Amino acid sequence: MNPLDLVGLSPLMKLTSGESEVTIGLLDGPVAVDHPELNAESIRLSGDTPCLPKRSTACRHGTFVAGILVARRGGMAPAICPGCTVLSRPVFTETAPDEEHSLSVSVQRLATAVRECVDAGARVLNVSAGTAQPSTRQERELHAALDHAAAHGALVVVAAGNQGTLGSSALTRHPWVIPVVGYDSEGRPSAHSNLGSSMGRLGLGAPGENVVSLSDHGGVRTQHGTSVATAFVTGAIGLLWSRFPQADVAEVKNALTGCHGRRRTSVVPPLLDAWKAHRMLSATQSGRAAE
């Protein structure tokens, strides 16, 4: 099944391509803004410069995720919300092109980037990054940054990880984040995705296998993983806030996750249904307008 159809994004994308007032903080690698299929005018650069002439794994990763979000419509990439603004905030340490497994970010660098993106006006943060096991002090620093995002009404969407394990991390178990698990084209959790109580209780599933998006050297490539899946949830949030700019953060989060105070007990999160979330927000906002 088309990944956009799998998670109810296709009908929502017919209604909007996103609004520039909705800013997405992309905490990833740098983005090859010269890609011909990338809606480069939607990208603001923060921190490091765009990809260097000699492209790296970090650049490849950042460009792929950016393509899911803001590629030009009509190409091979998902191009979920090209009308939204992406604030590119590179966090990965640069590595050689053949060292994809070496992509990493320090807890301190990630915490700083979260705060900077929130303070720059991002309403949703896309964090497709894993961290090493932090010290107690570093974990407190990361939690404080995520608390800062919550206090400013910014949703934080994070990749669950690709080790195929059962458990959580300092990032995925924070109560404010939406951890994302990868699903295959049949709507089943991918074998490589991490699962656990925090993912089941707080998270969502999204397409994470054989997804096509942009390559840093031009053209497209295929990739899998929870980093890929995370961008589908982030893009859905961008479209929902573009359609319902007056919706508060709790309404958007509840419409997406379907929790509404109910406690989940499974270690597997439900699959994203962006169209269902749109219907719920439409009803909520219509009721508010009628008051």
Side-chain angles (χ1 to χ4, degrees):
M1 180 182 290
N2 181 307
L4 297 172
D5 293 337
L6 181 68
V7 290
L9 274 165
S10 296
L12 183 53
M13 289 170 61
K14 292 178 181 179
L15 299 180
T16 179
S17 60
E19 299 292 336
S20 60
E21 291 79 12
V22 178
T23 298
I24 297 168
L26 181 59
L27 285 68
D28 207 289
V31 177
V33 293
D34 57 347
H35 195 292
E37 287 193 32
L38 197 61
N39 194 25
E41 56 266 32
S42 292
I43 299 177
R44 290 165 47 201
L45 301 177
S46 172
D48 297 1
T49 58
C51 296
L52 300 173
K54 185 178 180 180
R55 304 297 168 90
S56 67
T57 301
C59 173
R60 182 190 310 157
H61 196 278
T63 303
F64 190 94
V65 174
I68 295 174
L69 295 170
V70 291
R72 300 182 192 279
R73 292 272 179 93
M76 292 289 289
I80 296 170
C81 54
C84 294
T85 298
V86 164
L87 176 62
S88 174
R89 176 58 169 86
V91 295
F92 288 139
T93 301
E94 292 286 347
T95 60
D98 60 346
E99 296 178 338
E100 189 157 354
H101 65 281
S102 299
L103 284 177
S104 64
V105 56
S106 71
V107 173
Q108 184 176 29
R109 184 180 176 103
L110 181 59
T112 298
V114 167
R115 287 183 176 274
E116 288 180 355
C117 286
V118 170
D119 292 344
R123 297 192 74 178
V124 54
L125 307 184
N126 188 97
V127 184
S128 297
T131 61
Q133 185 66 31
S135 66
T136 301
R137 180 189 61 80
Q138 291 172 326
E139 185 165 346
R140 285 199 301 266
E141 186 175 355
L142 178 59
H143 274 240
L146 295 170
D147 289 343
H148 181 72
H152 287 75
L155 284 173
V156 183
V157 187
V158 305
N162 304 314
Q163 291 74 43
T165 61
L166 188 65
S168 63
S169 69
L171 186 58
T172 61
R173 63 175 168 262
H174 188 280
W176 186 247
V177 307
I178 302 175
V180 182
V181 166
Y183 272 60
D184 65 21
S185 61
E186 302 299 320
R188 300 170 300 203
S190 301
H192 57 73
S193 287
N194 294 349
L195 302 173
S197 60
S198 61
M199 274 68 93
R201 187 175 69 255
L202 305 169
L204 289 168
E209 289 192 4
N210 298 318
V211 174
V212 177
S213 187
L214 306 184
S215 166
D216 57 320
H217 287 287
V220 297
R221 59 189 295 263
T222 302
Q223 190 171 311
H224 71 273
T226 58
S227 294
V228 173
T230 300
F232 282 86
V233 176
T234 297
I237 294 171
L239 294 184
L240 291 171
W241 250 325
S242 295
R243 288 283 291 170
F244 307 105
Q246 302 306 315
D248 65 39
V249 64
E251 289 173 329
V252 173
K253 189 177 183 184
N254 287 338
L256 278 167
T257 62
C259 289
H260 300 285
R262 296 192 302 272
R263 182 176 177 82
R264 300 183 194 157
T265 57
S266 172
V267 298
V268 181
L271 193 62
L272 167 69
D273 188 338
W275 188 240
K276 180 180 178 181
H278 180 273
R279 293 198 308 269
M280 292 178 65
L281 283 171
S282 180
T284 300
Q285 300 306 302
S286 297
R288 176 178 293 172
E291 292 178 355

